[in-house]
C-alpha cells in the first residue's frame, strides 16, 4: 500500500507544469520538484517516488512544511497536462440505454461484451478554470462529468484484480462532447474524433484511499455535483450503477497491448437509474425528454454558459477541487466577458 496524498501541477509556463503536493483540506501546497519535477516523472518511478511524496504530504498536513504556500486552483494545469494515453469507457449502462433508446437504436447487450472504450486526445488537456473554446455553438456543446484512474505500467493480459493494484491516482474530469458532430462520425464506422475536443480536469489528483471507505471494489462511492449556469443539475452517486469497476476497464484496455505509466482510463459519464439525481451530461437530459414527452426542450450550451463539476466525500469535503469553466468562441479564448 502506497502513501495517501493529493497532487497537482502548477502552471509555470512549461508544457507539463511543476509538481505540487496539496494538503488534505486543499488550503496549502508545497512544490515537490526536489522529489520529482512533474507528475509523469513520479508515475514513471512510483515505487521509489510515491513514498517520498507521501512523506511530504504528511509533513504538509502537520503544518511543518517549511516552504508551504496557499493553494490556488486557478494556477493549476490539469494534474497530467498531457498524457501518453487517454482512454474513455462507458461503465454506466443507464447512460447508454437512455441515449440509444431516445434515438431508436439497439440497446447494449448485458455483460462483458457491452464494455466499450475509445481512444481520446491526450496531448493538450485543459486546466480546471480554463475557458473551453469552440468554433460554433451549432456543434452541440455538452459537458460530461466523470471519474478516471491514472495507472502505472500494466502488462498485456492482466486480470481485473491485477489491474486494480496498478491504480495510482484518481482524477475528476469534464469530457467535453460536440453532440451534433457525433452522428456523422459514428456513421462512418471509425469512432469519435472531431466530436471529442480537449478534456478538462479538476485541479487535484488523489490516491484512491483519500476517499476512505468510499473506495471499494474498484469504485469511488462519492457524491458528484454539477451546476450549469449556477443551477444544480446533478446530484449523482458515482459508485452506484457503475456496472464495470476501474479494474475491469483497465483489463479491457490491456487485453491486447501493454499500458504505460501515466495512462488515464475514464469511467464515462456518471449516470444513476434514480432520475431524481439529475444528469451529468445534457445528452442524457434530452434523451429522457424524448423518451417521456416525445420532444426535446433542453438545448445544448451556448457561448457564455458556465459549468461547475465537483465531487465530495461522505462528510462533504471536496475531493478533487472544482472544475469551473466558461464556454467561449474559439477566437475569444482567454478574454474576459464584456
Amino acid at each position: 500500500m502506497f502513501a495517501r496524498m493529493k497532487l497537482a501541477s502548477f502552471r509555470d509556463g512549461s508544457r507539463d507544469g511543476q509538481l505540487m503536493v496539496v494538503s488534505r483540506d486543499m488550503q496549502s501546497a508545497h512544490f515537490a520538484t526536489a522529489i520529482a519535477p512533474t507528475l509523469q516523472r513520479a508515475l514513471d518511478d512510483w515505487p521509489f517516488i510515491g513514498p517520498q511524496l507521501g512523506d511530504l504530504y504528511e509533513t504538509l498536513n502537520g503544518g511543518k512544511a517549511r516552504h508551504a504556500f496557499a493553494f490556488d486552483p486557478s494556477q493549476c494545469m490539469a494534474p497530467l497536462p498531457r498524457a501518453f494515453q487517454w482512454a474513455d469507457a462507458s461503465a454506466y449502462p443507464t447512460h447508454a440505454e437512455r441515449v440509444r433508446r431516445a434515438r431508436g437504436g439497439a440497446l447494449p447487450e448485458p455483460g462483458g461484451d457491452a464494455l466499450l472504450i475509445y481512444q481520446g486526445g491526450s496531448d493538450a488537456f485543459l486546466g480546471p478554470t480554463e475557458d473551453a473554446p469552440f468554433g460554433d455553438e451549432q456543434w452541440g456543446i455538452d459537458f460530461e462529468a466523470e471519474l478516471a484512474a491514472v495507472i502505472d505500467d500494466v502488462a498485456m493480459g492482466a486480470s481485473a484484480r491485477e489491474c486494480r493494484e496498478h491504480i495510482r491516482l484518481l482524477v475528476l474530469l469534464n469530457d467535453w462532447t460536440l453532440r451534433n458532430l457525433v452522428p456523422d462520425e459514428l456513421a462512418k464506422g471509425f469512432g469519435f474524433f472531431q466530436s471529442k475536443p480537449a478534456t478538462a480536469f479538476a485541479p487535484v489528483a488523489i490516491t484512491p484511499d483519500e476517499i476512505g471507505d468510499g473506495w471499494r471494489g474498484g469504485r469511488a462511492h462519492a457524491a458528484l455535483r454539477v451546476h450549469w449556469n449556477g443551477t444544480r443539475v446533478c446530484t449523482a452517486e458515482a459508485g452506484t450503477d457503475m456496472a464495470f469497476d476501474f479494474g475491469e476497464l483497465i483489463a479491457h484496455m490491456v487485453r491486447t497491448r501493454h499500458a504505460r505509466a501515466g495512462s488515464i482510463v475514464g469511467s464515462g459519464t456518471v449516470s444513476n437509474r434514480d432520475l431524481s439525481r439529475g444528469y451529468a451530461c445534457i445528452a442524457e437530459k434530452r434523451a429522457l425528454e424524448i423518451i417521456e414527452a416525445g420532444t426535446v426542450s433542453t438545448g445544448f450550451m451556448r457561448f457564455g454558459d458556465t459549468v461547475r463539476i465537483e465531487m465530495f466525500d461522505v462528510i462533504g469535503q471536496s475531493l478533487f477541487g472544482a472544475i469551473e469553466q466558461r464556454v467561449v468562441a474559439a477566437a475569444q479564448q482567454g478574454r474576459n466577458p464584456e
Side-chain angles (χ1 to χ4, degrees):
M1 179 65 65
F2 289 99
R4 299 173 61 166
M5 69 191 83
K6 294 188 174 184
L7 303 171
S9 292
F10 180 76
R11 187 181 301 280
D12 64 355
S14 68
R15 292 182 185 269
D16 299 303
Q18 191 172 348
L19 181 61
M20 298 184 289
V21 172
V22 181
S23 64
R24 182 167 289 114
D25 62 6
M26 288 188 285
Q27 295 301 303
S28 61
H30 196 288
F31 286 121
T33 43
I35 301 171
T38 66
L39 182 52
Q40 181 60 53
R41 177 66 186 87
L43 290 163
D44 284 338
D45 195 6
W46 192 259
F48 177 69
I49 292 175
Q52 297 179 62
L53 294 174
D55 289 344
L56 178 55
Y57 181 63
E58 293 306 319
T59 301
L60 180 63
N61 287 321
K64 298 180 180 180
R66 294 181 58 189
H67 302 291
F69 52 90
F71 177 62
D72 181 358
S74 68
Q75 295 299 312
C76 290
M77 307 171 77
L80 277 172
R82 53 180 176 170
F84 288 114
Q85 181 166 215
W86 158 226
D88 199 16
S90 182
Y92 296 87
T94 51
H95 172 72
E97 289 169 7
R98 289 163 182 166
V99 172
R100 293 187 187 188
R101 182 176 290 116
R103 65 171 186 252
L107 297 183
E109 294 292 331
D113 290 342
L115 208 169
L116 301 172
I117 292 183
Y118 76 89
Q119 197 85 45
S122 62
D123 56 330
F125 294 134
L126 295 175
T129 63
E130 285 188 76
D131 288 345
F134 302 104
D136 193 333
E137 287 181 340
Q138 300 308 309
W139 287 347
I141 303 167
D142 194 0
F143 54 82
E144 285 192 47
E146 60 181 272
L147 278 170
V150 184
I151 59 176
D152 62 7
D153 292 337
V154 182
M156 180 174 62
S159 68
R161 180 187 59 79
E162 292 169 331
C163 288
R164 292 184 198 106
E165 298 301 316
H166 289 277
I167 297 172
R168 295 293 165 245
L169 299 167
L170 299 174
V171 288
L172 178 67
L173 59 107
N174 179 8
D175 184 36
W176 289 105
T177 301
L178 303 175
R179 298 293 180 185
N180 292 339
L181 302 186
V182 170
D184 284 347
E185 289 201 308
L186 295 185
K188 296 174 182 177
F190 219 53
F192 301 117
F193 193 82
Q194 292 179 338
S195 54
K196 283 294 187 179
T199 300
F201 287 79
V204 174
I206 69 172
T207 50
D209 51 8
E210 277 292 311
I211 305 177
D213 292 340
W215 177 252
R216 57 186 185 271
R219 296 171 175 86
H221 293 267
L224 176 67
R225 301 289 181 263
V226 181
H227 290 78
W228 178 13
N229 291 334
T231 299
R232 182 181 290 184
V233 298
C234 178
T235 59
E237 205 288 328
T240 302
D241 303 316
M242 186 180 185
F244 304 97
D245 71 67
F246 278 110
E248 292 171 309
L249 301 184
I250 298 163
H252 183 85
M253 183 181 71
V254 301
R255 180 183 178 190
T256 61
R257 55 177 167 168
H258 302 299
R260 295 308 184 200
S263 294
I264 305 173
V265 185
S267 67
T269 308
V270 175
S271 178
N272 290 157
R273 292 196 178 278
D274 181 355
L275 296 179
S276 68
R277 292 187 177 275
Y279 54 94
C281 72
I282 302 170
E284 189 163 325
K285 169 65 170 174
R286 287 164 60 93
L288 288 169
E289 291 171 349
I290 293 173
I291 294 167
E292 296 171 356
T295 186
V296 172
S297 58
T298 302
F300 290 114
M301 298 185 80
R302 307 292 298 273
F303 294 149
D305 279 7
T306 60
V307 63
R308 178 185 175 95
I309 299 171
E310 197 165 7
M311 185 165 279
F312 300 88
D313 63 17
V314 293
I315 62 173
Q317 291 185 326
S318 180
L319 288 166
F320 304 91
I323 300 169
E324 296 187 88
Q325 291 188 278
R326 179 170 54 105
V327 172
V328 299
Q332 297 176 353
Q333 186 179 9
R335 299 180 184 176
N336 293 320
E338 295 182 359

